[in-house]
Amino acid sequence: MNKWSISRDHSMPLYQKIMLLTEEKIKSGELKPGIRLPAERKLAEYLKVNRSTVIRAMEELTAQGVLTRKKGSGTYVNPDKWGLQTKPLINWGTSLTTDSFKKQSDYQQAVARFREQKQDKVIDLSNGNLPADLLPELQSPSLSWKELIQQEKKQSPLNSEMHSLRESVQLYLKKTYQMEVPIEEIMITSGTQNALFLISQGLLKPGDAVGIEAPSHFYSLRLFQAAGLRIIPISMDTEGMTIKGLQEASINYPLKMIFLNPIFQNPTGFVMSFKRKADILDYCLMKRIPIVEDDAYGALSFDQSVDNSPLKKMDQQQQVIYLGTLSKLAGNHLRIGWMVGPKTVLKELADIRIQIDSELSFLSQFMADHYLRIEMDEHQKKIKNKLAERARIMEKWLRIEFGEDIEFLPAKGGFHLYCLFPKKTKAEVDNILQELLEKNIIVLEVQKFGDKKNGFRLSFAHFREMFNLK
């Protein structure tokens, strides 16, 4: 730890050289996640600089999320990704966060080996996609390939979206949520990831702080770090993101945007209450913080007591960009989604899509349009019935397997159960993970979502194999 030295040339300020040296030590593995750095006075001695220069460097790295500082304890390398940002440097594959993305836990490494050895025996409850047995038939109308190409040629070269698909999405939102949306405020995308990419490129810039629920599936997305964004955790309770957590985050950081998954939140399954939605909208309006709402599971409610209305439905001030997708209804192979938001914003994002030559597949749009118009109603009922059945069986199995040691909320929709072991240590839960793996069962650790508790997320959508359900 005493190999701290910097050059004395005048290529950059001393505090920046200290920052660069610290980052290099982190990337090389000399400074590992969670390790404590030498005291500021010691560092000043090693580097032969004023202590105030070291303090400034440490403060800058702390503001970027590279380090964390604990009052009365010292300065540490950030052990997770909360707050991290990447710099927009042309430094292929060597950004500060690359190693943290590639690093796998012992359990993840064991899962990777297991998949290679026992592909045909895997019961993958970590899978967040629609299982094959619940995919729609997607029987295409009898059109020849030539007719499809002719239809595609009718699309404007500056707008690759099918107008009839936008109409179908408009009708779907009205039937599913009783949400009236002007067609000019609907933009077709090739899925939620595509929408998030356009938002991160068009509406945000490197260094911007964005708030996300903690825990959240957004935490695991490389997309945010690749765009140089700093992700700020905002606490939740069983009604969703808390106002107190949002207030604290917006006071401590200049939040440019928040990302929400309010209905059957991934991974927790929480449903945001009506009052909480209203409070979130009011606070964000006061602070002028735009909201991106990811609604992947709202249409998959199988409990009539649930209010699955999107936040967007309550939006009177054009505060919310709403993201929808067909992947959870019709499978990942039909890569079609949509954004609902202000016309001017959607036009800007559509322009970016043209600039990066990211045209939409006409065939995918054609099939999505057919699905929404012809097959969706009946197929949606089938999926919800099957998901409800599998959720109940999984909950019963968990109680038999773990008794009162396990903690979870009964599922009311979506795909997932979020299971915690509040009375068990991490080592004990690691043993449980290994025992499940020995039974050919793969789950997803809660750390994947930025949670520091002990537990895992299970997908009951994929539970049929265990009990040979039909």
Side-chain angles (χ1 to χ4, degrees), residues 79-124:
D80 55 32
K81 293 191 310 187
W82 289 120
L84 284 179
Q85 74 178 72
T86 51
K87 298 177 177 62
L89 300 177
I90 303 175
N91 187 14
W92 299 106
T94 60
S95 66
L96 184 60
T97 55
T98 300
D99 291 340
S100 66
F101 278 126
K102 291 180 178 178
K103 184 178 179 182
Q104 292 185 321
S105 69
D106 292 342
Y107 175 70
Q108 290 168 335
Q109 293 176 41
V111 166
R113 291 192 298 270
F114 174 81
R115 288 184 189 278
E116 291 179 1
Q117 297 166 3
K118 301 184 178 182
Q119 291 183 9
D120 57 334
K121 297 182 180 180
V122 172
I123 302 170
D124 192 355

Side-chain angles (χ1 to χ4, degrees), residues 312-328:
K312 182 64 179 176
K313 186 177 178 181
M314 301 172 62
D315 179 19
Q316 301 297 316
Q317 304 294 331
Q318 294 282 41
Q319 299 173 246
V320 180
I321 293 179
Y322 172 87
L323 310 182
T325 178
L326 281 183
S327 66
K328 305 306 177 186

Side-chain angles (χ1 to χ4, degrees), residues 181-196:
V181 178
I183 198 165
E184 61 271 16
E185 293 183 5
I186 298 173
M187 174 179 171
I188 303 301
T189 69
S190 55
T192 302
Q193 291 277 342
N194 175 238
L196 291 171

Side-chain angles (χ1 to χ4, degrees), residues 6-24:
I6 54 175
S7 66
R8 294 291 165 171
D9 60 46
H10 299 287
S11 59
M12 66 176 66
L14 290 175
Y15 82 91
Q16 291 182 3
K17 291 184 179 182
I18 297 171
M19 291 173 63
L20 188 60
L21 175 64
T22 305
E23 291 174 340
E24 288 299 327

Side-chain angles (χ1 to χ4, degrees), residues 135-182:
L135 291 172
E137 293 295 332
L138 277 181
Q139 296 179 354
S140 173
S142 55
L143 284 178
S144 69
W145 186 250
K146 184 177 180 180
E147 288 173 307
L148 282 173
I149 292 174
Q150 289 174 343
Q151 289 284 338
E152 185 171 14
K153 285 181 178 178
K154 293 179 182 179
Q155 301 299 116
S156 164
L158 295 179
N159 183 5
S160 56
E161 300 175 34
M162 279 181 60
H163 184 78
S164 62
L165 177 55
R166 292 166 69 198
E167 290 179 333
S168 294
V169 170
Q170 183 186 43
L171 181 60
Y172 164 78
L173 293 174
K174 184 175 181 179
K175 289 195 315 187
T176 305
Y177 301 118
Q178 295 75 54
M179 184 163 71
E180 302 277 357
V181 178

Side-chain angles (χ1 to χ4, degrees), residues 299-360:
L300 295 173
S301 171
F302 45 76
D303 186 314
Q304 293 184 352
S305 69
V306 172
D307 175 12
N308 67 339
S309 299
L311 194 69
K312 182 64 179 176
K313 186 177 178 181
M314 301 172 62
D315 179 19
Q316 301 297 316
Q317 304 294 331
Q318 294 282 41
Q319 299 173 246
V320 180
I321 293 179
Y322 172 87
L323 310 182
T325 178
L326 281 183
S327 66
K328 305 306 177 186
L329 278 169
N332 275 357
H333 300 291
L334 195 59
R335 292 191 175 277
I336 289 295
W338 48 86
M339 278 194 276
V340 178
K343 285 190 298 181
T344 53
V345 174
L346 297 186
K347 183 180 184 306
E348 183 176 344
L349 298 181
D351 288 343
I352 292 172
R353 182 166 64 190
I354 292 170
Q355 292 170 30
I356 62 175
D357 195 25
S358 178
E359 294 186 3
L360 294 165

